[in-house]
Amino acid sequence: SAASDVYKRQALNKTSKASSEFTDPNDGNKTYQSLLAFDGKGTNETVDGKQSRWVSLRTKDDPTAISQWIYVDLEADYDISKVVLNWEGNGAKKYQILVSEDGKTWQKVYLEENGQPGIANIPFNETVTARYVKMLGIECASKYGYSLWEFEVYGKLHQEPVVPEVNIALNKTSKASSE
């Protein structure tokens, strides 16, 4: 339907940032960059023979790497209808979805306290308007860090309501220096 077509995937190939990006010494020092979660490649897909996914630092290697995050800059304000997280491996046990209009002040819009492996489909009951969308990992499901095959954001460009121009002086009380 035309209405559902309006809510397109908006994070594809947009600028992203993460608290950390794991570099695998056992895989030719490949770095699992945040941008790989926004490249449109899904489960087990590869780029140049390497898996296309974002991976955070791992508590296995760095015990302080418990809370990790990744966010995307949609480059404009969008009315967001849902977020889809395609977790690799065990995913995240506890995480939040946060949104922001400036990339500094974040508002929590979703909390997961019993995360499962695989695809997490997170629809929003009310419209969420934001430019930035973040997954904040609170508790990882394994010692191998947070890992996303893909982080998808669906929505449509936010439109400010258009106020029609009207003559606000029409039929109002008036005075003149001379009549």
Side-chain angles (χ1 to χ4, degrees):
S1 74
S4 65
D5 292 342
V6 174
Y7 287 96
K8 294 192 177 87
R9 191 167 163 187
Q10 300 298 349
L12 189 62
N13 297 318
K14 297 276 172 67
T15 304
S16 61
K17 194 170 183 180
S19 53
S20 65
E21 295 173 328
F22 176 67
T23 299
D24 191 348
N26 301 321
D27 191 13
N29 286 326
K30 173 183 170 51
T31 299
Y32 291 92
Q33 299 171 286
S34 64
L35 62 86
L36 296 172
F38 302 99
D39 66 356
K41 303 221 175 336
T43 306
N44 291 320
E45 288 194 63
T46 59
V47 175
D48 299 327
K50 308 281 187 185
Q51 291 182 335
S52 176
R53 58 189 169 103
W54 166 71
V55 183
S56 72
L57 286 177
R58 311 181 317 176
T59 53
K60 169 182 181 279
D61 307 311
D62 179 354
T64 66
I66 296 163
S67 178
Q68 299 287 306
W69 50 262
I70 180 172
Y71 74 74
V72 62
D73 177 356
L74 301 173
E75 299 164 11
D77 282 347
Y78 281 83
D79 293 333
I80 299 164
S81 58
K82 72 176 176 175
V83 168
V84 177
L85 300 175
N86 184 351
W87 294 103
E88 185 270 340
N90 292 319
K93 187 173 170 132
K94 187 173 181 180
Y95 61 91
Q96 294 177 349
I97 300 296
L98 303 125
V99 296
S100 174
E101 291 190 23
D102 61 8
K104 296 177 181 79
T105 305
W106 296 90
Q107 174 190 350
K108 180 175 76 179
V109 292
Y110 179 79
L111 170 65
E112 177 59 68
E113 296 188 284
N114 188 27
Q116 301 297 316
I119 295 175
N121 200 351
I122 305 164
F124 298 132
N125 297 330
E126 296 175 22
T127 301
V128 172
T129 302
R131 173 175 169 167
Y132 300 86
V133 183
K134 177 191 273 187
M135 185 290 298
L136 172 63
I138 299 166
E139 188 182 340
C140 201
S142 79
K143 63 184 180 182
Y144 293 102
Y146 300 92
S147 181
L148 285 167
W149 289 110
E150 204 64 12
F151 181 153
E152 301 172 11
V153 179
Y154 291 82
K156 63 181 180 177
L157 198 57
H158 179 69
Q159 301 291 334
E160 291 294 336
V162 177
V163 179
E165 285 194 44
V166 293
N167 180 357
I168 57 175
L170 188 64
N171 300 321
K172 297 291 192 280
T173 305
S174 60
K175 287 186 177 168
S177 59
S178 63
E179 292 185 29

